[in-house]
Amino acid sequence: MRRLLLLSFTALGTTAAIAQTNPGTPPINQPSAAVAETVVTATRVPTPIERVPGGVTVIDRQTIEERGYQTLAEALVSVPGLSLIQSGGIGQPASAFIRGTASRHALVLLDGVPINDASEPNGAFNFGNDLLGLDVERIEVLRGPASSLYGSGAIGGVVNIVTRRAPKDKAIEAFGEIAGGSNRTLRAGGGVAGTVGQFDYLLSLRSLSTRGTDATPSRFTSDTRERDGFRSVGATARLGWTPSDRFRLEGLANWRENHGGLDNVPFDDPNYSFEDRRYTGQIRAEGKPFEVWTTGFRIAQTVDRRRYTNLADSLSAATTNDLFRGQRTVFDWGNQIRTPDYGILDQGQLSFGITHEREAVDQGSGSAFFRTTTNASALSTAGHAGYQIRLFQRLDLSAGFRQDSAEDYGTHSTYRLGAVLAVPEISARIRGAYGTAFKAPSLYQRFGVITGFFQGNPDLRPELSEGWEAGIEFDIPLAAQRDFATVGATYFENRIRDLINFNAAFTTLENVERARIKGGEFTATLRPFRWLNVSAAYTVTDARDVATGERLARRPEQQLALNAAFRPLDNVTIAPEAVFYGRSLEGAFASYRDDGTSYTVARDNKVGTIFNLTASWQVMEPITLFVEGRNLMDSKFEPANGFVIAGRTVLAGTRFRF
């Protein structure tokens, strides 16, 4: 691995950095047209893309549609530094490993509000459950320690899902799509939005149903070819009031409900199913008491309810009736102050605020003899502050600090420092950042109970990390075209301690493990012609347990994503995508032979390649026809041992906006 890292940086190090756009959530009264020019997620204040020091990526609405992404999991596979491991096809559980950190170290936001399920035993987010309906404007991914911005859980990074906003120049705009194809799949969605005087509104509905595919590999002798169907419905509503350019009040509500089948490796299980509901709402007010000061207050709540059921059948007499209820309530006060320019200093921004949060869990799972229960709640309060400034109109400096105080795991402080140096003489940007982060023990880890077998540990400490990154990005001109190519590379390291795992007797949990992670992200975007855009993202990751030196499970050592947008005609776009996964380690007793028996030592998962292709034809200004092909080479790749990806599928449909 060390040799591979060295060879990779030798090949690309002279033209290094991140060739990705940066994420953000705009201020509540910022026009949507300005979203692509500034970002907020990476710094909490509107910041020009080129001034953000960390690794960041934006997947905007145009990219989602051109590449045919219909789920959050599909969209994230091309993000450098992020490995998306899904246990089967659409709707099946999916985990994201950002820069080699654990899946519970990825914090997910919806319009800036955390939505990780409080009832999930480890606090991880299931990326396989969310559709990218027409209400999703873009997805923003911030890589690296980010607890100084968002608190617990942001060790690997942050994924922010940003919803659509109403047009400011129309009283009513209607939009929608309908598509159907393989596996009896039907996808539909639509809505209306507009601005009438001081009020704006948006209402959007979405749905998808499919009989699905078989997640059990055909190599297993126990495979019955039973399909895991999936149905999802959801809605988003937003209402805003802007009586003046100094004040805005808005409310947002989001609901989604999923039903589907699951497999129980290494055997098919036709009666194993789930239902998953999530309700998220927030009310936010923002004002400008003075021209240089913006202040806002938000109240938000997320409620998750998951149930897993399994009836006795000819394959198994076991039954399951598991229920998970989680609730998260957030009160947040945030401020932005623009500081005056002075001499060599300009573009100064100060941000500060207070966040109060309550988590609650009511959970029961397992058999009557071996049943796990958690019934607990916890409060935490945090203060945060950040500052960024530009020197000599080319050196951007940023710093952030946050202190979280919880009623049960004490007080914890995190910080982040960053710098971006513009070198226009060679069309380069040099970036660097260093930060700390933490993940609080979940309520299950602290208070979960299996009577007579297991007791959570209320004295657990947070998992702690410190990490840094350094990179460089070049714009390469050619033939009078300034942006003919953008190439870059970033090196990152992260050390995590006090990782939580079971004690030797499996009777409780302890802070017993440490991890060391290093790697590189290499990107290139070529724009040789007006009608052709090609991008590549290559990631090398070395994630290991410090004590044993063993590789961490399910982190591919290498991953390469290739994308292109080919426009043979002005109104036609053809977008191929290829994703290559290198080998990854699977845990002992989670690696399976063809007969379904497990290995007693960890084994490597085989490499895999997925090829997708989407074609779009804008028939007229408001109407587009499209065809989406997924896994067209019909790969049998198993990202997680014992779970095969969906086979070849094709969907065709139309999208409109009036």
Side-chain angles (χ1 to χ4, degrees):
M1 174 57 66
R2 183 177 303 171
R3 184 175 302 170
L4 183 58
L5 277 170
L6 179 60
L7 290 173
S8 300
F9 272 94
T10 301
L12 295 175
T14 57
T15 55
I18 304 170
Q20 300 291 327
T21 319
N22 296 285
T25 304
I28 201 166
N29 57 358
Q30 180 177 322
S32 58
V35 166
E37 301 171 3
T38 61
V39 297
V40 177
T41 303
T43 59
R44 274 191 176 263
V45 298
T47 305
I49 291 170
E50 64 273 10
R51 295 178 58 195
V52 176
V56 272
T57 300
V58 162
I59 306 164
D60 59 20
R61 187 71 226 175
Q62 179 179 340
T63 302
I64 292 171
E65 294 179 354
E66 282 186 351
R67 299 181 185 176
Y69 297 147
Q70 60 181 345
T71 69
L72 180 60
E74 290 177 353
L76 294 178
V77 297
S78 295
V79 175
L82 189 153
S83 298
L84 197 291
I85 307 300
Q86 187 159 17
S87 302
I90 186 168
Q92 299 302 300
S95 301
F97 300 88
I98 303 178
R99 287 184 171 173
T101 61
S103 59
R104 64 181 180 273
H105 297 155
L107 181 64
V108 181
L109 314 175
L110 179 64
D111 282 335
V113 175
I115 57 172
N116 288 52
D117 185 354
S119 69
E120 208 284 329
N122 292 312
F125 185 83
N126 180 5
F127 288 84
N129 259 332
D130 286 87
L131 301 180
L132 298 181
L134 295 174
D135 56 334
V136 175
E137 185 64 31
R138 64 191 189 280
I139 306 160
E140 310 165 346
V141 183
L142 169 63
R143 302 184 294 283
S147 288
S148 63
L149 294 168
Y150 299 104
S152 173
I155 286 180
V158 176
V159 177
N160 189 11
I161 305 167
V162 182
T163 58
R164 187 175 191 150
R165 291 183 173 272
K168 295 186 175 297
D169 57 349
K170 292 183 179 181
I172 183 170
E173 176 184 80
F175 52 90
E177 74 167 11
I178 185 169
S182 302
N183 303 323
R184 300 176 187 170
T185 301
L186 178 62
R187 187 178 84 223
V192 292
T195 300
V196 180
Q198 299 177 352
F199 296 92
D200 58 88
Y201 65 94
L202 178 143
L203 176 62
S204 177
L205 303 174
R206 59 192 180 278
S207 69
L208 182 145
S209 65
T210 178
R211 66 171 179 165
T213 58
D214 182 14
T216 303
S218 59
R219 65 182 178 89
F220 281 11
T221 57
S222 59
D223 180 29
T224 65
R225 305 297 176 89
E226 181 261 336
R227 293 173 179 261
D228 302 308
F230 178 72
R231 293 178 291 114
S232 177
V233 294
T236 298
R238 185 196 300 274
L239 179 63
W241 175 46
T242 311
S244 73
D245 59 0
R246 288 184 176 272
F247 181 79
R248 177 171 170 81
L249 176 68
E250 77 169 23
L252 173 72
N254 181 277
W255 159 76
R256 67 118 171 88
E257 180 172 334
N258 296 339
H259 297 262
L262 296 168
D263 275 344
N264 190 12
V265 169
F267 304 104
D268 273 344
D269 196 329
N271 295 322
Y272 192 15
S273 62
F274 73 92
E275 62 178 46
D276 189 322
R277 301 173 184 170
R278 185 181 69 217
Y279 307 87
T280 301
Q282 60 173 286
I283 298 175
R284 184 180 176 196
E286 186 175 274
K288 297 185 70 173
F290 305 101
E291 188 61 33
V292 298
W293 177 24
T294 301
T295 184
F297 182 75
R298 169 163 47 196
I299 302 174
Q301 186 173 79
T302 300
V303 178
D304 289 278
R305 184 184 184 278
R306 295 179 289 124
R307 182 183 291 275
Y308 301 87
T309 58
N310 188 14
L311 301 177
D313 54 49
S314 59
L315 300 178
S316 173
T319 62
T320 299
N321 186 14
D322 300 341
L323 181 62
F324 297 80
R325 294 189 184 96
Q327 182 175 299
R328 185 190 309 273
T329 305
V330 178
F331 300 87
D332 183 70
W333 174 56
N335 299 269
Q336 304 166 17
I337 296 178
R338 188 176 70 248
T339 59
D341 299 343
Y342 183 77
I344 62 172
L345 307 176
D346 68 351
Q347 301 294 316
Q349 289 268 17
L350 171 67
S351 63
F352 61 93
I354 297 175
T355 301
H356 179 74
E357 187 172 310
R358 180 183 184 272
E359 285 186 313
V361 172
D362 183 8
Q363 170 262 329
S365 60
S367 65
F369 172 70
F370 197 79
R371 190 160 185 81
T372 303
T373 59
T374 310
N375 192 331
S377 63
L379 300 174
S380 64
T381 301
H384 59 84
Y387 186 65
Q388 59 189 58
I389 191 72
R390 185 171 65 174
L391 283 70
F392 305 106
Q393 296 188 341
R394 65 166 63 204
L395 176 61
D396 288 289
L397 302 175
S398 61
F401 176 82
R402 176 172 171 134
Q403 186 172 74
D404 287 78
S405 179
E407 63 178 354
D408 49 359
Y409 61 82
T411 299
H412 193 75
S413 300
T414 53
Y415 65 92
R416 182 177 174 90
L417 305 172
V420 181
L421 176 64
V423 190
E425 294 81 1
I426 57 172
S427 300
R429 292 164 296 281
I430 302 172
R431 294 185 170 98
Y434 178 88
T436 61
F438 79 103
K439 168 68 173 71
S442 70
L443 289 174
Y444 163 77
Q445 292 171 335
R446 284 174 273 172
F447 307 112
V449 175
I450 305 177
T451 303
F453 295 92
F454 171 84
Q455 174 67 56
N457 183 356
D459 296 323
L460 285 172
R461 302 183 302 276
E463 298 175 324
L464 307 178
S465 80
E466 55 179 332
W468 66 275
E469 62 185 274
I472 185 169
E473 179 181 72
F474 284 91
D475 293 323
I476 301 176
L478 185 67
Q481 186 175 339
R482 293 185 59 188
D483 63 346
F484 175 84
T486 303
V487 296
T490 293
Y491 178 82
F492 61 85
E493 282 196 14
N494 202 339
R495 294 181 180 271
I496 309 174
R497 65 184 189 275
D498 289 338
L499 286 166
I500 297 171
N501 208 337
F502 289 96
N503 64 354
F506 289 91
T507 57
T508 190
L509 295 162
E510 298 177 342
N511 297 96
V512 294
E513 295 186 348
R514 302 175 67 186
R516 185 195 70 249
I517 305 166
K518 58 184 177 180
E521 299 165 358
F522 306 88
T523 59
T525 300
L526 303 179
R527 312 170 189 88
F529 308 103
R530 179 183 60 84
W531 43 268
L532 179 62
N533 186 300
V534 180
S535 63
Y538 174 57
T539 304
V540 183
T541 305
D542 183 12
R544 295 182 181 271
D545 183 296
V546 170
T548 65
E550 289 292 331
R551 290 175 290 140
L552 301 181
R554 297 190 179 180
R555 281 77 159 179
E557 289 185 316
Q558 303 177 65
Q559 187 169 319
L560 173 65
L562 300 173
N563 287 277
F566 170 57
R567 297 178 176 84
L569 301 172
D570 287 344
N571 58 349
V572 175
T573 301
I574 300 173
E577 176 180 70
V579 183
F580 167 80
Y581 292 84
R583 69 168 188 167
S584 63
L585 187 69
E586 193 65 79
F589 301 102
S591 301
Y592 296 93
R593 301 180 179 87
D594 292 350
D595 62 1
T597 60
S598 61
Y599 292 93
T600 57
V601 295
R603 306 276 294 191
D604 279 339
N605 292 322
K606 295 180 179 180
V607 302
T609 302
I610 303 170
F611 178 72
N612 307 316
L613 181 67
T614 300
S616 307
W617 174 32
Q618 189 174 17
V619 181
M620 57 185 68
E621 182 64 29
I623 300 176
T624 299
L625 302 179
F626 59 85
V627 178
E628 301 169 356
R630 317 298 299 178
N631 190 18
L632 292 180
M633 304 302 291
D634 203 25
S635 168
K636 305 303 182 183
F637 174 50
E638 297 175 34
N641 190 285
F643 295 94
V644 67
I645 63 172
R648 182 188 300 112
T649 60
V650 177
L651 267 68
T654 182
R655 186 179 300 115
F656 66 86
R657 177 184 295 187
F658 295 102

